[in-house]
Every structure is written in C-alpha cells, then in structure tokens.
Amino acid sequence: MSFQKVSGLAAIGAGATYIIGFWVYFSILGPAQYGSSSVPAEQHVQFLAGNMDLMTVWNQIIYVLNAILMVLLVIGLHRRLSASGALGQTASAFGLIWAGLILATGMLINIGIAQIVRLSAEDMDAAATLWRAVIVVSSGLGGGNEITGGMWIFLLSLAGLKTKALPLAVNLLGVLVGGAGIISTIPALSAATMVFGLGFILWFFVAGFALLWLKPLKEAEAG
C-alpha cells in the first residue's frame, strides 16, 4: 500500500474521531452541561470523578489518536503537493504544528483528569481550581482556537488549486473550512467555529476518499 493510501485512510479515521467526539458531547456531555460556565466547577469535578474512564478514552480518541492520524495525513498531502513549493511547505508546517498542539492538549487533559479526580477526594476547592486551569490551558492549546488548523487547510487548499494535484471539490471545500477557522478567531465571528468543526468532518472524508482514489505520484515527483 502506498503512503498516499495510508494518508487517505488516516484522513477518514480523523473524520471518524470528530464524529465520535460530537456524538459523546451531544449525547453525554451536553445533557450534563459539562464545561458550561453556568454550572459550578465543583459539579464538573464530580462529573469527572463519576465518568473518569469515559472522559479518558474520549480524550484519547479526539486528541491523541486524532493527532497521530493528522501527522500521517499532513505528510501524505505534503508529498502530493510538493510541486507547490514554499506555499505547500508553509501549509505543512502549520499542519504539523496543529497536530502537535492537538497531541499536547490530549496529554494535558488526561493527566489533568487524573489529578483532578485524585485531588477531589482530599480538597474539592483545590480540585475545582485545577479544573478551571486545565480547561483554560487546553482551550488555548487546541480546543478553543482554530487559527492553526484554519491556516493549514486554507494554505493547503491554495496549494491544491495551484498544482491541481487534488480534486477541485477538495480545494474549494478546504478554502471555505479554512477561512471559517481563521475568521472564528474574531470575537464577533466566533460562531464560525461550528462551520469549521462540522465542515472539517466533511473535508476529512472527501480528502480521504480522493487520496484513496487518485493515482499516487511517482516517488521522484512526490519528493
């Protein structure tokens, strides 16, 4: 199997992690109002204590596994778009940075969960304070700021339009999704985050199937 096909499967897998993430959030976390600022931090800590295994596995899937799949996808697309030169290289740099931030977020949250639950049995106030700190830091790294992912897919799509190494539908969808991620950093346009998140699921699958379907570039062309 060529590396391009591996990266195509990675893209589909990454899209699946998003679907799992949304499913758990809307079916379990949402009804429990987990993460809501209107709910006391102590209640969130109690939720973690009662659902530690679920939350740990969930974070492993949506962050750690997603980051691993992202690395495979970024490298596969980098090889596919090598003819785009500096534009593609810049896009790949943002992609790998994003994968690193996602991985760091998952590691931080999983370590944080264990410490919060342990601390809650001794000092609930301290556990609540730690929970707030973990939420703020993890949101800053990869949960509440889409600029890095937005830049990756936006520049990647421009490189795709330049080289025509990817189908037009993949590139146009990428420009839309990447643009939504970039403008979501503007407070007044933060609602674009939802377009970015949902649009990325579709893009992962479209790009993944395209990589599986397209004829791999020759090794010399792929660099």
Side-chain angles (χ1 to χ4, degrees), residues 83 91 145:
N145 194 330

Side-chain angles (χ1 to χ4, degrees), residues 80-95:
R80 182 83 196 176
L81 300 174
S82 60
S84 63
L87 181 59
Q89 292 170 0
T90 304
S92 297
F94 275 108

Side-chain angles (χ1 to χ4, degrees), residues 54-114:
L54 168 67
M55 295 298 290
T56 299
V57 172
W58 184 61
N59 282 298
Q60 290 281 22
I61 292 173
I62 66 172
Y63 290 115
V64 178
L65 176 58
N66 180 269
I68 294 171
L69 295 172
M70 277 290 302
V71 170
L72 296 174
L73 176 58
V74 170
I75 298 302
L77 288 171
H78 177 78
R79 291 164 58 84
R80 182 83 196 176
L81 300 174
S82 60
S84 63
L87 181 59
Q89 292 170 0
T90 304
S92 297
F94 275 108
L96 292 175
I97 291 171
W98 193 34
L101 290 174
I102 294 171
L103 181 60
T105 301
M107 295 169 65
L108 169 68
I109 293 177
N110 279 337
I111 293 298
I113 288 175

